[in-house]
Amino acid sequence: MMEAFVYNAHPARVIFGSGTLRQLPTEVERLGLRRVLVLSTPQQEKDGRATAEAIGGRAAAVFAGATMHTPVEVTEKAMALVLAERIDGIVAVGGGSTTGLAKAVALRTDLPQIVAPTTYAGSEMTPILGETRDGVKTTQKSPKILPEVVIYDVDLTLSLPVALSSVSGMNAIAHAVEALYAQDRNPIISLMAVEGIRALAQALPKIAEAPADRKARSDALYGAWLCGTCLGAVGMALHHKLCHTLGGSFDLPHAETHTAVLPHATAYNAPAAPEAMRAIAGALGTGDAARGLYDLAHRLGATLALKTLGMTEHGIETAADLAMANPYWNPRPLERNAIRDLLARAYAGEPPRA
């Protein structure tokens, strides 16, 4: 007998394919936008300005200040430009940092967003925003945050370096892993989660071997879309709480931190979520979910030690305390010492242990 569930589908227009960014001017016009702000990171400013040129006269300004963890002070600078230029819409072409800034502006203004991802972050499919203020990262959820249009263009990912492709893909997998044991999980999202994990687990090693493999890139982007949809539809648990804590408080790189922590958070929850673990292991083609995630990341050459990412050893205790404060729901009750041990293994890059 099917268990009772609630499924809330989020409204979004998704355009998927190769060369689809060419549809951006049409989408801007379709939404009736006349003064668009194009967002980018400092490193992608050239791309941001090229995007503005492609939009033409409807592009009013470019803000190339997006950065990871969406600091509030950066959002305030972008907001000043929004007001000064009478902006009526946002276009973001980039990774999670650029998407995060677009969502932060939208939360404050309810302006429509068009997002074209260049990584596998998946945040473009969620009504969730994580912002950092005074070294603390907090998340919130609102319909205002969800982009109106997402343009997936495989061509935008062809130049994504292998190292970033790997950790970005592992970050996406983390969304699907937690969706399978989320408190508000449902069979529709679980189907997407398993398919997203499978697609990425098969595509990422091929990308590592042949970065220009267009089919592998397409499969990875497809998987990232599914995993992002999972993150937007159901709640997060211990893994995301830990990564938000580590990112906001220690300024660790976002995708790399997700990659290092995921096997350990999965192992922590394994005893309390056996069905989810079987589904994850099956999608990975392995016998053990946590070890399968660790082995996949290792095969991709990803950094698996938080100490290599810049975390100090004394931060283990601090992070454990922060994880216990304002915790997310989790299938296994939170035990401070067990979480401390989890973090210690992730700090050292050791294999996961239940």
Side-chain angles (χ1 to χ4, degrees), residues 220-296:
L221 195 59
Y222 163 71
W225 167 39
L226 294 176
C227 293
T229 301
C230 294
L231 176 65
V234 296
M236 296 174 284
L238 176 63
H239 170 78
H240 280 83
K241 174 64 177 181
L242 289 174
C243 291
H244 291 160
T245 295
L246 294 167
S249 301
F250 302 98
D251 199 32
L252 301 186
H254 181 81
E256 291 85 346
T257 301
H258 275 272
T259 302
V261 171
L262 180 59
H264 304 280
T266 303
Y268 182 94
N269 282 323
E275 288 187 15
M277 297 302 138
R278 284 193 290 272
I280 295 164
L284 293 171
T286 186
D288 180 84
R291 186 60 195 237
L293 292 166
Y294 182 88
D295 290 344
L296 175 60

Side-chain angles (χ1 to χ4, degrees), residues 11 14 19 62 65 85 119 184 205 282 287 291 295 300:
V14 174
V62 175
E85 295 291 341
T119 70
D184 51 352
R291 186 60 195 237
D295 290 344
L300 297 173

Side-chain angles (χ1 to χ4, degrees), residues 22 34 84 116 179 198 200 304 316 335-336:
R22 290 193 293 270
R34 297 187 177 277
R198 183 204 61 77
L200 280 159
L304 288 165
I316 295 172
E335 304 168 28
R336 199 268 180 195

Side-chain angles (χ1 to χ4, degrees), residues 13 38 79 90 107 110 132 158 259 293 296 314 329 353:
R13 176 175 169 84
V38 177
M79 280 299 302
I90 306 295
L107 177 65
D110 203 19
T132 303
L158 291 175
T259 302
L293 292 166
L296 175 60
H314 67 77
W329 179 89
R353 187 170 72 243

Side-chain angles (χ1 to χ4, degrees), residues 96-290:
S97 297
T98 306
T99 301
L101 178 57
K103 292 162 81 170
V105 171
L107 177 65
R108 291 159 172 79
T109 61
D110 203 19
L111 292 176
Q113 307 167 72
I114 303 174
V115 177
T118 60
T119 70
Y120 307 129
S123 62
E124 65 278 353
M125 291 306 301
T126 78
I128 301 167
L129 171 65
E131 291 187 298
T132 303
R133 185 193 296 270
D134 300 326
V136 177
K137 190 169 186 178
T138 57
T139 60
Q140 52 191 311
K141 201 170 188 177
S142 167
K144 296 179 181 180
I145 297 170
L146 185 70
E148 278 70 15
V149 180
V150 179
I151 299 176
Y152 287 106
D153 189 337
V154 175
D155 297 355
L156 297 179
T157 66
L158 291 175
S159 60
L160 188 66
V162 168
L164 185 53
S165 298
S166 297
V167 295
S168 180
M170 292 298 299
N171 179 19
I173 287 173
H175 306 330
V177 166
E178 291 226 303
L180 285 165
Y181 54 65
Q183 185 177 26
D184 51 352
R185 64 190 178 275
N186 63 73
I188 304 302
I189 292 301
S190 293
L191 286 170
M192 292 184 182
V194 171
E195 175 68 0
I197 295 170
R198 183 204 61 77
L200 280 159
Q202 292 183 8
L204 292 175
K206 295 176 183 176
I207 291 171
E209 295 175 0
D213 185 332
R214 186 175 289 272
K215 184 181 184 305
R217 290 287 188 182
S218 180
D219 290 346
L221 195 59
Y222 163 71
W225 167 39
L226 294 176
C227 293
T229 301
C230 294
L231 176 65
V234 296
M236 296 174 284
L238 176 63
H239 170 78
H240 280 83
K241 174 64 177 181
L242 289 174
C243 291
H244 291 160
T245 295
L246 294 167
S249 301
F250 302 98
D251 199 32
L252 301 186
H254 181 81
E256 291 85 346
T257 301
H258 275 272
T259 302
V261 171
L262 180 59
H264 304 280
T266 303
Y268 182 94
N269 282 323
E275 288 187 15
M277 297 302 138
R278 284 193 290 272
I280 295 164
L284 293 171
T286 186
D288 180 84

